[in-house]
């Protein structure tokens, strides 16, 4: 069983790496690429109380029949190991010139090995809309579905779930080198819950002239909120550094 999951993770990693490497051909323009590392720390609250994580990732922005944002990363925690690969695509055919609107889609695969408790495989597909306004800001809205396949190790059984997902993000350029963002979403890069519970994220970044960027986020996880009353299930701070290549 472990060998099967290990092979699946290796296969997904290989596909992600080959896919991003394929875009290095002359027909494709690499607009930017980077390596980043991020550290996460959870407050003494909820199911992830006091847990800590660290991740390393590679990302790129390319032009090929439209615009792509590609990202693949690994995250290690106290008891878990995770892999995520995601692609955002804005096809040229849906580019409405001078309108401020652009359309695209997001595809994500996420794998979680939660120690002796479970394995999880998550697939996410979300069409999205972006509106870019004057004065250096944009608003993203996406909605779609997530599919989760989870093996509960102690019961030696699989469960399958399909859920609605959404992501709303406001980004504003503050100065030439800094930006801030506010996000309301049912998921983030390494979080795909069994039931769609909202995450509220507040953060920003600052980029130095030598291609080094510092970023930080404060995230609040609310349990359910759609069918029961609001209560806080977790609070996480993350910070890291990105190196543009």
């Amino acid at each position: 069983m472990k060998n099967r999951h290990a092979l699946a993770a290796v296969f997904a990693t290989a596909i992600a790496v080959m896919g991003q490497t394929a875009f290095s051909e002359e027909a494709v323009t690499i607009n930017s690429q980077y390596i980043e590392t991020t550290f996460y720390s959870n407050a003494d609250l909820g199911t992830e109380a006091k847990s800590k994580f660290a991740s390393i990732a590679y990302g790129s922005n390319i032009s090929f029949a439209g615009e792509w944002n590609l990202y693949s990363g690994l995250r290690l925690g106290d008891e878990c190991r995770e892999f995520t690969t995601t692609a955002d695509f804005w096809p040229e055919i849906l580019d409405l010139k001078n309108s401020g609107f652009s359309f695209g889609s997001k595809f994500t695969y996420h794998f979680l090995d939660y120690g002796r408790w479970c394995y999880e495989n998550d697939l996410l597909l979300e069409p999205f809309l972006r509106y870019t306004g004057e004065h250096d800001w944009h608003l993203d809205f996406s909605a779609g579905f997530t599919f989760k396949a989870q093996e509960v190790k102690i019961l030696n059984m699989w469960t399958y779930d399909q859920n609605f997902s959404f992501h709303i993000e406001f980004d504003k350029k503050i100065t030439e080198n800094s930006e801030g963002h506010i996000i309301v979403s049912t998921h983030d890069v390494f979080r795909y819950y069994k039931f769609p519970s909202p995450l509220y994220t507040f953060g920003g970044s600052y980029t130095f002239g030598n291609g080094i960027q510092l970023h930080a986020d404060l995230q609040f996880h609310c349990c359910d909120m759609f069918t029961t009353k609001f209560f806080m299930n977790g609070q996480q701070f993350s910070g890291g550094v990105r190196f543009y290549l």
Side-chain angles (χ1 to χ4, degrees):
M1 184 68 69
K2 290 184 178 180
N3 290 336
R4 183 178 66 185
H5 288 289
L7 288 173
V10 170
F11 176 75
T13 305
I15 291 296
V17 172
M18 288 189 294
Q20 296 194 27
T21 303
F23 288 115
S24 64
E25 300 295 328
E26 293 183 1
V28 175
T29 301
I30 300 177
N31 303 315
S32 64
Q33 53 184 333
Y34 60 85
I35 296 174
E36 72 175 13
T37 183
T38 306
F39 299 92
Y40 308 79
S41 179
N42 286 275
D44 187 11
L45 179 69
T47 56
E48 296 181 332
K50 297 184 178 180
S51 58
K52 294 177 173 56
F53 307 89
S55 69
I56 186 168
Y58 168 79
S60 60
N61 175 273
I62 65 168
S63 297
F64 179 71
E67 183 179 351
W68 296 76
N69 282 332
L70 304 176
Y71 179 96
S72 293
L74 295 169
R75 187 169 84 157
L76 301 177
D78 297 332
E79 294 186 32
C80 66
R81 293 164 292 278
E82 298 177 77
F83 167 76
T84 290
T85 186
T86 185
D88 299 345
F89 177 47
W90 292 269
E92 288 180 349
I93 195 172
L94 294 179
D95 185 13
L96 304 181
K97 302 294 184 182
N98 303 318
S99 70
F101 289 96
S102 55
F103 298 85
S105 61
K106 174 191 288 287
F107 173 79
T108 300
Y109 169 74
H110 170 250
F111 173 78
L112 166 67
D113 177 3
Y114 197 17
R116 59 192 178 93
W117 301 107
C118 67
Y119 292 114
E120 290 186 3
N121 293 272
D122 300 292
L123 294 175
L124 178 145
L125 179 62
E126 287 183 341
F128 64 80
L129 167 69
R130 168 173 291 180
Y131 178 75
T132 302
E134 298 180 359
H135 309 298
D136 299 314
W137 65 271
H138 67 260
L139 178 67
D140 291 350
F141 175 77
S142 61
F145 292 92
T146 57
F147 175 78
K148 180 185 289 289
Q150 179 185 64
E151 182 188 17
V152 183
K153 297 181 183 179
I154 193 171
L155 300 177
N156 194 28
M157 64 175 290
W158 284 86
T159 62
Y160 303 93
D161 294 278
Q162 298 181 54
N163 282 308
F164 172 75
S165 64
F166 70 85
H167 180 96
I168 303 171
E169 179 173 349
F170 174 79
D171 284 87
K172 177 70 171 73
K173 188 174 181 179
I174 301 172
T175 68
E176 185 64 28
N177 297 324
S178 63
E179 65 84 28
H181 54 257
I182 301 173
I183 303 171
V184 181
S185 179
T186 57
H187 55 83
D188 72 1
V189 178
F190 292 103
R191 287 189 173 190
Y192 302 86
Y193 292 108
K194 198 175 184 70
F195 186 83
S197 302
L199 299 164
Y200 296 89
T201 305
F202 306 87
S205 65
Y206 184 87
T207 305
F208 297 91
N210 57 0
I212 296 177
Q213 181 187 89
L214 301 179
H215 57 88
D217 285 292
L218 180 62
Q219 185 178 86
F220 301 92
H221 173 219
C222 303
C223 188
D224 189 355
M225 196 174 124
F226 296 116
T227 59
T228 64
K229 68 178 182 179
F230 169 89
F231 71 93
M232 193 74 64
N233 185 54
Q235 179 179 325
Q236 177 178 265
F237 173 78
S238 63
V241 58
R242 175 179 294 183
F243 302 92
Y244 283 94
L245 306 177

